[in-house]
Amino acid sequence: MKNSIQLPENNQSIILETGDIITLKADNGKYLSRVEYVGVKQAIEATKDSVDIYCKFEVLVHKDLKISLKADNKAWLSRITRGSDEEPIEAIKMDSSDITTQFKVMQLSNTNGEFFIALQADNFRWISRIDRQTERGKQTIEAARVKTGIDVHCMFKIEKLR
């Protein structure tokens, strides 16, 4: 039997199982995607209007409501420490047992009854879309030290593709 996490959505349950393929949509209406840049080759950003191969993530369910997400490059999404306030999520780790690749899942809803998930990194910070306007309009996904709790930028719509 596969490991699974059950999340309620619209009075139904979404069951995430190891091997499922999902997409995540940020509060800006864009899909999370792996993006390659010189120097930061495997960044995760909320930049795509429609789903392509770079927006699909394979789920690995751990115990204690934690998941790891594998990108199209076969690497696991991971929290990386850069500088004094940046902790971006990048698709660079090859080992899903590394604690920086494991995210605790929390199910949330808004006043309209829409359901979302929030993901908490190993540093106890919530994964969030950060608008880095000064850097070519990047919409980076980070376990930001500037965030002390969950806000709208930490809420992601999940779609299970298989």
Side-chain angles (χ1 to χ4, degrees):
M1 185 168 88
K2 291 182 180 180
N3 288 337
S4 64
I5 295 176
Q6 186 169 336
L7 302 168
E9 180 179 51
N10 300 330
N11 298 319
Q12 299 178 2
S13 292
I14 289 182
I15 299 174
L16 289 180
E17 296 181 312
T18 294
D20 284 347
I21 304 297
I22 65 167
T23 62
L24 296 170
K25 189 183 274 190
D27 64 297
N28 65 351
K30 307 283 185 176
Y31 289 95
L32 272 59
S33 176
R34 183 176 66 83
V35 180
E36 293 191 36
Y37 291 107
V38 174
V40 182
K41 295 182 179 169
Q42 311 304 329
I44 303 299
E45 297 184 7
T47 59
K48 298 281 180 85
D49 290 319
S50 59
V51 174
D52 63 16
I53 192 169
Y54 305 107
C55 301
K56 297 176 183 178
F57 302 99
E58 182 179 335
V59 175
L60 174 64
V61 177
H62 302 278
K63 61 181 181 178
D64 301 327
L65 294 174
K66 291 183 181 179
I67 62 171
S68 293
L69 298 172
K70 186 188 289 185
D72 66 291
N73 66 349
K74 305 297 183 208
W76 299 95
L77 273 56
S78 178
R79 179 186 60 79
I80 304 298
T81 301
R82 291 206 197 301
S84 61
D85 68 340
E86 290 186 36
E87 300 217 12
I89 305 302
E90 297 179 9
I92 62 167
K93 295 280 176 99
M94 300 312 287
D95 182 2
S96 65
S97 67
D98 184 317
I99 194 168
T100 63
T101 69
Q102 298 176 21
F103 303 98
K104 187 170 187 171
V105 180
M106 177 180 278
Q107 185 266 323
L108 306 163
S109 63
N110 64 16
T111 55
N112 296 329
E114 297 175 296
F115 287 90
F116 303 87
I117 64 167
L119 299 171
Q120 187 179 45
D122 64 297
N123 66 352
F124 302 104
R125 299 294 183 181
W126 296 96
I127 303 304
S128 179
R129 180 180 65 82
I130 305 292
D131 186 356
R132 297 209 177 269
Q133 295 267 343
T134 59
E135 299 176 33
R136 298 184 307 250
K138 290 183 183 179
Q139 301 295 309
T140 62
I141 304 301
E142 302 181 18
R145 294 181 193 171
V146 297
K147 297 275 182 164
T148 57
I150 297 172
D151 63 16
V152 68
H153 307 297
C154 302
M155 298 168 66
F156 301 98
K157 286 188 178 183
I158 184 169
E159 181 181 353
K160 186 173 164 179
L161 302 178
R162 75 166 168 100

